Amino acid sequence: MRAMLLVNPKATTTNRRTRDVLIRALGAAVELSVEETAYRGHAAALASTAYAKGFDLVAVLGGDGTINETINGLLNPANGDAARPSLAVIPGGSANVFARALGLPNDPTEATGAVLEALQAGRSRTVGLGEAVWEGGSRYFTFCAGMGYDAEVIRAVEGLRGAGRKATPARYVNTALRHYLQTDKRHAALTITGPGIPAATHVFMAIITNTSPWTYLGGRPVKPTPWSSFETGLDLLGMQRMGMFTMAGLIRQLLDQGRENWPKGRHLVQLHDEAEFTLRAERPVAFQLDGDYLGEREWVTFRSIPNALQVLV
């Protein structure tokens, strides 16, 4: 089996020694080529090249952003009808939402062992993805997207990371609390529409999910859409109020690990297992995919892409 391993050398939770150990372990099981990512978008280009050259497997050692780029490279339609490589994921980021949603250990060494077991057993699963389309662009996502407040928080954290600070769970929480005092809590910009979906207006923030959990705070899963899965369409949770008591009540529900039902609230908009819907904004609002800030948008259409990719598990 020919495999390409994409390594993000700046991944949060790995170092050179760990990476060398993992590379040797994988190299003993497959014919391995190793590529390090050097810039934003590089993983997508490398994955597309692996597809075009007929590799059987593309493995990723990195965080959710690197995995997202890799998947977008693998789904590049320019590669035509060639057999698409399978994907293997080894978590190396701060949250590793996609890897953990697949049931992989959060420790990169343990996850490598799980990937090797899956290789030996020939064990994989097919997962659905989400696709976001906007004027001038489109991109697939593995676990979540968002418009509004959550994307504003991600934008702020990315700014801190650019200044050399790590993206820890505590930093996300502290940034979210500080940014809550600054975000516009009076003038909602978003409207949600879709085939067969009653229009929802006056929405401040919308979280779109392709699986559950939406994210993690350390070891604690955060589940705004607990029924979301890789085997169903897209889910959505929207907020039509951003007051302190509304937010506090929602956060309590999202952090309740025993809760299996949707959060309750009069000012929540909820969609489950939808094939397509569109978010439109009265003004440009912040937008993120898989925890990666992608600028401000006035509209984005979200689509479910069933059975999109084979993943070793």
Side-chain angles (χ1 to χ4, degrees), residues 90-296:
I90 301 171
S94 58
N96 305 311
V97 180
F98 181 60
R100 292 159 87 173
L102 291 170
L104 288 166
N106 198 39
D107 177 81
T109 303
E110 293 180 8
T112 301
V115 166
L116 291 172
E117 289 178 5
L119 270 171
Q120 185 175 12
R123 189 172 61 241
S124 65
R125 65 179 287 191
T126 303
V127 299
L129 299 173
E131 183 184 23
V133 179
W134 60 91
E135 184 175 2
S138 67
R139 189 160 163 177
Y140 297 98
F141 59 98
T142 63
F143 63 93
C144 84
M147 294 185 73
Y149 172 66
D150 81 310
E152 293 172 6
V153 173
I154 287 171
R155 176 175 60 195
V157 172
E158 286 196 2
L160 294 173
R161 293 180 68 180
R165 302 183 186 181
K166 289 186 176 181
T168 64
R171 178 147 289 127
Y172 271 101
V173 171
N174 291 335
T175 302
L177 291 173
R178 287 198 305 270
H179 194 73
Y180 175 76
L181 301 176
Q182 304 169 12
T183 192
D184 187 344
K185 295 181 281 294
R186 293 188 177 184
H187 306 101
L190 294 169
T191 296
I192 303 167
T193 59
I197 298 172
T201 61
H202 198 75
V203 176
F204 285 94
M205 175 182 76
I207 296 167
I208 300 94
T209 62
N210 185 51
T211 189
S212 184
W214 164 50
T215 190
Y216 287 85
L217 290 177
R220 183 184 289 269
V222 183
K223 300 184 287 186
T225 55
W227 299 347
S228 185
S229 78
F230 293 124
E231 287 73 38
T232 61
L234 300 178
D235 287 16
L236 176 145
L237 177 70
M239 294 193 66
Q240 293 175 308
R241 279 195 180 179
M242 289 283 289
M244 185 176 297
F245 291 110
T246 302
M247 287 291 289
L250 178 62
I251 290 170
R252 281 197 301 271
Q253 294 185 75
L254 298 190
L255 296 179
D256 181 359
Q257 297 189 57
R259 180 182 56 83
E260 297 298 334
N261 295 318
W262 284 72
K264 297 179 180 179
R266 289 184 302 163
H267 304 289
L268 299 179
V269 180
Q270 297 167 328
L271 299 176
H272 172 59
D273 193 15
E274 296 291 347
E276 179 180 321
F277 48 82
T278 297
L279 272 63
R280 299 187 183 276
E282 297 176 357
R283 60 183 183 277
V285 299
F287 168 53
Q288 64 90 7
L289 286 182
D290 283 350
D292 190 9
Y293 178 66
L294 295 182
E296 295 185 334

Side-chain angles (χ1 to χ4, degrees), residues 55-111:
F55 279 76
D56 304 296
L57 176 70
V58 172
V60 186
L61 173 56
D64 288 309
T66 307
I67 293 168
N68 179 282
E69 286 189 14
T70 301
I71 286 174
N72 277 273
L74 289 177
L75 270 67
N76 187 342
N79 289 302
D81 296 327
R84 181 178 292 118
S86 298
L87 177 72
V89 175
I90 301 171
S94 58
N96 305 311
V97 180
F98 181 60
R100 292 159 87 173
L102 291 170
L104 288 166
N106 198 39
D107 177 81
T109 303
E110 293 180 8

